[in-house]
Amino acid sequence: MNIWRIETCKAVAGYRSTASIYNLIKLGLWPKAVSIGIRSVGWPSDEIIAINAARIAGQTDDQIRDLVKRLHFKRNELIATYSGDQNGA
C-alpha cells in the first residue's frame, strides 16, 4: 500500500479538479484523507483502487458509500492491530 497525494488520485480516478475529490468526500463517495505531515494529506492507494473498481463495476452511490464506510472501518482495525489495541481505535 502506498499513500497517494491529490494529483495522483485525480489522475488515477480521472478527475480534473481538486474540488471534485473534496465534494465526493462530503457526499461520502470518497474516503477521507489521512494526514502525512503538518500541511500534507494523502489517500491509501488500495482505497482509491477499490473505489475505482466499484465505479467500473457500476455500483450505485449507496453501494459506494457503504464501501467507503467499510474502508474507514478497516483503517481502524489496522490501527488497532499495529498499536496492540484489541478493542479498536
Side-chain angles (χ1 to χ4, degrees):
M1 167 184 358
N2 297 306
I3 296 180
W4 288 345
R5 300 295 302 273
I6 190 78
E7 293 302 323
T8 302
C9 291
K10 289 189 314 190
V12 168
Y15 293 108
R16 288 185 176 180
S17 73
T18 299
S20 297
I21 300 289
Y22 284 100
N23 286 333
L24 290 171
I25 292 170
K26 287 179 188 176
L27 295 171
L29 298 170
W30 191 271
K32 294 178 182 176
V34 295
S35 177
I36 58 175
I38 294 172
R39 292 177 30 163
S40 300
V41 297
W43 288 264
S45 58
D46 59 333
E47 293 181 4
I48 304 312
I49 291 167
I51 295 294
N52 284 344
R55 290 235 177 261
I56 290 167
Q59 290 191 347
T60 66
D61 284 354
D62 287 338
Q63 290 171 315
I64 293 173
R65 280 186 192 94
D66 185 55
L67 173 59
V68 170
K69 288 177 188 175
R70 288 186 313 224
L71 292 170
H72 287 157
F73 182 78
K74 185 178 171 184
R75 285 184 190 179
N76 290 333
E77 286 181 330
L78 285 172
I79 292 167
T81 298
Y82 289 112
S83 70
D85 179 5
Q86 299 304 314
N87 296 321

